[in-house]
Amino acid sequence: MAHRILHLCTPLTILALGSCSYIYDMKAVMIDGRVAFVVASGSDRQPDCIRSIQVSADDGEPKAKPAEGDDAALVVNGGVYWSDSRDVGSCDNPFPVFYGAGLKGKRLESVGYVAPKPLLVDAVYQVDAQSRGSGYGTSWFKIRADGQIENYSSDPTPPSRDSAGYVIDEDKAD
């Protein structure tokens, strides 16, 4: 019996040890009047660069309008305000990463691109980034009317859910 358990556990152990994925915390900051993204100082992991980034309006926030050359589905269905992805082998974009600045490296054509749209005051946005070694960073932020940025480590406006865990569309609820 112990031999059988060992055979079942060994592949799981190898998979767990061989994984290079990690998660890190990000935050938005204002540098010389521009929104920039950095790794949060308290994050367990501290990557030095990114290869992709996506900024999208949180649920219930105003969606942008797609421009020519944008992946319209990302804008209309995903609320994306900016999305840029580079080849997985590259990590040529050091932190801080400024909102809307073109990323260096070969564009990853299999992932949609969205040119940067103007960010709105008092709207909540989510930022997601990928770094080398399958690192994934995320954060939520809001630009206040006074120009200061509020950061959130988790979604400050989680959607309403029914008892089964499904998101309730508030516009269609009676």
Side-chain angles (χ1 to χ4, degrees):
M1 179 71 170
H3 186 61
R4 185 176 305 169
I5 292 173
L6 181 60
H7 279 268
L8 292 173
C9 293
T10 302
L12 296 174
T13 304
I14 291 171
L15 285 174
L17 293 175
S19 175
C20 295
S21 295
Y22 60 94
I23 296 173
Y24 58 93
D25 298 319
M26 297 176 63
K27 67 185 249 181
V29 296
M30 196 66 77
I31 300 175
D32 296 329
R34 296 171 59 199
V35 175
F37 304 103
V38 298
V39 178
S41 60
S43 180
D44 290 339
R45 298 295 295 261
Q46 295 286 321
D48 58 353
C49 61
I50 66 164
R51 65 174 179 246
S52 72
I53 190 162
Q54 182 168 292
V55 176
S56 54
D58 197 38
D59 290 334
E61 297 294 353
K63 292 185 180 178
K65 294 187 179 10
E68 188 174 328
D70 284 350
D71 181 328
L74 285 175
V75 179
V76 173
N77 299 325
V80 174
Y81 272 64
W82 177 42
S83 182
D84 197 354
S85 296
R86 300 303 159 146
D87 183 76
V88 295
S90 71
C91 200
D92 302 325
N93 303 283
F95 286 104
V97 175
F98 287 91
Y99 177 80
L103 298 184
K104 298 175 191 167
K106 182 181 177 194
R107 181 169 288 147
L108 192 59
E109 299 297 330
S110 61
V111 178
Y113 173 79
V114 174
K117 313 290 181 257
L119 297 173
L120 305 173
V121 171
D122 287 329
V124 176
Y125 296 95
Q126 180 177 354
V127 59
D128 296 292
Q130 291 183 359
S131 296
R132 66 173 108 231
S134 297
Y136 298 93
T138 193
S139 182
W140 287 262
F141 69 97
K142 173 172 52 173
I143 303 169
R144 298 187 329 212
D146 64 3
Q148 297 297 309
I149 295 178
E150 288 182 24
N151 284 281
Y152 311 97
S153 58
S154 61
D155 189 347
T157 56
S160 298
R161 297 184 183 275
D162 65 14
S163 61
Y166 292 102
V167 173
I168 298 171
D169 186 345
E170 299 290 342
D171 295 334
K172 295 180 182 175
D174 290 323

